[in-house]
Amino acid sequence: MDKLLITGGRRLNGEVNISGAKNAALPELCAALLTAEPVVLHNVPHLHDVLTMKKLVTHMGARAERMPDDAVHLQAPDDLNPEAPYELVKTMRAAILALGPLLARFGRARVSLPGGCAIGSRPVDQHIKGLVAMGAVIRVEHGYIEASLPPGQARLKGARISTDMVTVTGTENFLMAAALADGETVLENAAQEPEITDLANMLIAMGAHIEGHGSSKIRIQGVPRLHGCQHRVVADRIEAGTFLCAVAATGGEALLRHARADHLEAVIDKLRDAGVSVTREAGGVRVVSPGAAQLKAQTFRTHEYPGFPTDMQAQFMALNVVAQGTSNVTETIFENRFMHVQEMQRLGARIHVEGKVATIEGVPSLSGATVMATDLRASASLVIAGLVAEGDTLVDRIYHLDRGYDRMESKLSALGAHIHRVS
């Protein structure tokens, strides 16, 4: 099992390319299942979850070939086997995104209940509720979601869907399913993340009729068929935010090429309040920081987009633990997303957790130690903490990191970090 060995205390300077977004690439790989024509996705990140999704669609009978230029060529024939087995999806919750497109195109689907990071419950009942409203018959048996259309019904039916909570993957599943449904589907309480807008733009390029994406109410007019397309995956705002926090904590100046400041406004506002300079440039986003010791810790609470993203909570906390002052971080999305706190305490962080609130008292320095990653974003937060800690930090279980960050240690090394992978 690989680990990352980090010698802290180095400022980060230079340029880094922000890769395509994991949370856009995964649903877009599934969207290719909606047509028998070729689909080409550009700017697809090199991630373990992307590899798993490629294996999944290949297992079903589709062609999925990665090209040297970060593109993936996909084609899903009409004789596809619409099943996502447990063996392929047990480590990746995003496999649930195959449910909507398989059911919409083939009239049936068998998808294993998903796995992934142990950060809290992300129930699939909202997915089931929405697809049932569109006319699907769904059973959950032996760990699988088995979906089909009633006898005599050839396609899903348009419906008005209002979920009990804002769900990103639910919104994406309904978008894909509704694109091939009979009639109009209206999604209320829809998620507004940029990755959903990117998926909608891809579906529109395939011939879908969608309005309102990027807002809480989306209208989809179903069409008889979709065609192939070429689409470029949007830049990963969470990777960009992670590098913003890394440079803010260590000090230095970096240009994050392809980063979208408009997708990170809540994070950037907090960084500026802390004393970090963040500016938009034609090629991306530039960040300049004097280092955490001269920054002011920030209180924040996570919220659905466009609020402060839960996927950035741990990374910003890594900045707060070495910034000046006391701060409170409230996690409102996932109940188990403070698992990195115990590992940060091993490095010398002063954090007290009570329920959904973590109180952080900034310390002058951290001390390197062996720490264990518990989930994807916790991994990134421990890397940032290791970059500012005195001495060596060994981050174990970085397979979590590889699920969501494209060659992170190489990018940090290019900025001047002393970091390398050890087996």
Side-chain angles (χ1 to χ4, degrees):
M1 190 179 298
D2 286 359
K3 304 174 176 63
L4 284 181
L5 180 61
I6 306 166
T7 302
R10 296 191 175 211
R11 294 168 68 87
L12 299 182
N13 292 283
E15 298 182 1
V16 63
N17 287 323
I18 300 302
S19 301
K22 172 180 87 88
N23 291 337
L26 295 179
E28 287 163 5
L29 288 166
C30 290
L33 300 172
L34 288 164
T35 179
E37 295 184 13
V39 171
V40 181
L41 292 178
H42 299 278
N43 197 36
V44 179
H46 293 261
L47 305 173
H48 191 270
D49 275 9
V50 169
L51 179 61
T52 300
M53 190 66 83
K54 279 181 66 249
K55 288 179 179 178
L56 176 59
V57 298
T58 301
H59 172 84
M60 294 179 189
R63 179 176 69 91
E65 182 181 3
R66 180 177 278 280
M67 309 305 288
D69 59 353
D70 289 340
V72 174
H73 291 219
L74 302 111
Q75 190 163 12
D78 290 328
D79 59 352
L80 200 77
N81 176 28
E83 178 173 341
Y86 170 75
E87 291 74 18
L88 285 174
V89 307
K90 61 185 177 182
T91 63
M92 184 181 64
R93 289 182 184 266
I96 191 68
L97 291 166
L99 181 61
L102 290 176
L103 183 59
R105 181 176 167 203
F106 299 99
R108 61 189 178 92
R110 187 171 186 264
V111 178
S112 172
L113 291 169
C117 290
I119 58 175
S121 63
R122 290 187 274 192
V124 300
D125 63 319
Q126 300 301 304
H127 299 249
I128 294 172
K129 173 185 175 182
L131 293 173
V132 167
M134 298 177 73
V137 177
I138 297 181
R139 303 189 311 273
V140 180
E141 295 181 345
H142 309 296
Y144 278 81
I145 302 169
E146 299 191 12
S148 61
L149 297 178
Q153 183 175 320
R155 302 172 67 190
L156 290 170
K157 305 292 185 181
R160 182 174 295 272
I161 301 173
S162 180
T163 52
D164 300 331
M165 64 185 74
V166 176
T167 162
V168 174
T169 53
T171 301
E172 291 166 340
N173 242 335
F174 304 146
L175 265 177
M176 292 185 282
L180 287 180
D182 278 334
E184 183 181 72
T185 298
V186 179
L187 306 183
E188 297 178 334
N189 200 28
Q192 303 175 51
E193 275 73 1
E195 296 81 15
I196 289 173
T197 299
D198 199 54
L199 171 63
N201 289 336
M202 174 187 173
L203 292 171
I204 291 169
M206 296 172 71
H209 296 163
I210 303 173
E211 296 178 352
H213 43 296
S215 75
S216 62
K217 187 172 184 177
I218 306 175
R219 293 183 180 272
I220 309 102
Q221 189 69 42
V223 296
R225 62 181 296 275
L226 295 173
H227 52 73
C229 74
Q230 296 206 28
H231 177 75
R232 182 175 180 83
V233 179
V234 69
D236 194 320
R237 63 193 170 95
I238 304 302
E239 183 190 29
T242 300
F243 276 91
L244 285 175
C245 287
V247 177
T250 63
E253 178 177 351
L255 174 63
L256 312 185
R257 292 200 172 275
H258 313 303
R260 293 277 300 270
D262 56 325
H263 292 170
L264 279 166
E265 289 180 350
V267 175
I268 290 174
D269 285 347
K270 287 295 179 182
L271 286 170
R272 286 172 174 162
D273 290 345
V276 181
S277 170
V278 183
T279 54
R280 303 186 190 197
E281 294 192 6
V285 175
R286 184 173 298 278
V287 53
V288 183
S289 172
Q294 299 181 52
L295 300 180
K296 181 180 178 181
Q298 295 298 302
T299 290
F300 64 90
R301 62 189 297 120
T302 63
H303 202 274
E304 291 88 0
Y305 189 87
F308 195 102
T310 181
D311 279 353
M312 281 301 305
Q313 177 254 106
Q315 300 93 304
F316 208 104
M317 188 183 290
L319 171 61
N320 273 350
V321 298
V322 285
Q324 296 180 25
T326 299
S327 58
N328 292 320
V329 173
T330 305
E331 174 57 55
T332 69
I333 308 297
F334 294 121
E335 65 269 22
N336 294 337
R337 204 147 208 187
F338 283 145
M339 292 189 292
H340 51 280
V341 166
Q342 185 174 353
E343 299 305 302
M344 285 189 179
Q345 290 170 336
R346 289 177 50 78
L347 298 170
R350 295 178 183 171
I351 309 172
H352 172 72
V353 176
E354 186 169 341
K356 296 181 178 181
V357 181
T359 300
I360 303 109
E361 182 183 346
V363 296
S365 64
L366 299 176
S367 178
T370 298
V371 292
M372 181 179 68
T374 53
D375 63 72
L376 171 55
R377 306 307 173 184
S379 307
S381 73
L382 295 176
V383 169
I384 294 172
L387 291 172
V388 298
E390 297 176 353
D392 292 342
T393 296
L394 189 65
V395 183
D396 201 355
R397 292 191 179 180
I398 61 165
Y399 58 84
H400 290 293
L401 194 76
D402 294 336
R403 288 185 46 236
Y405 288 92
D406 186 347
R407 297 163 287 195
M408 188 182 200
E409 71 274 16
S410 298
K411 293 182 178 183
L412 286 170
S413 293
L415 291 176
H418 195 287
I419 177 173
H420 64 275
R421 184 179 294 249
V422 295
S423 298

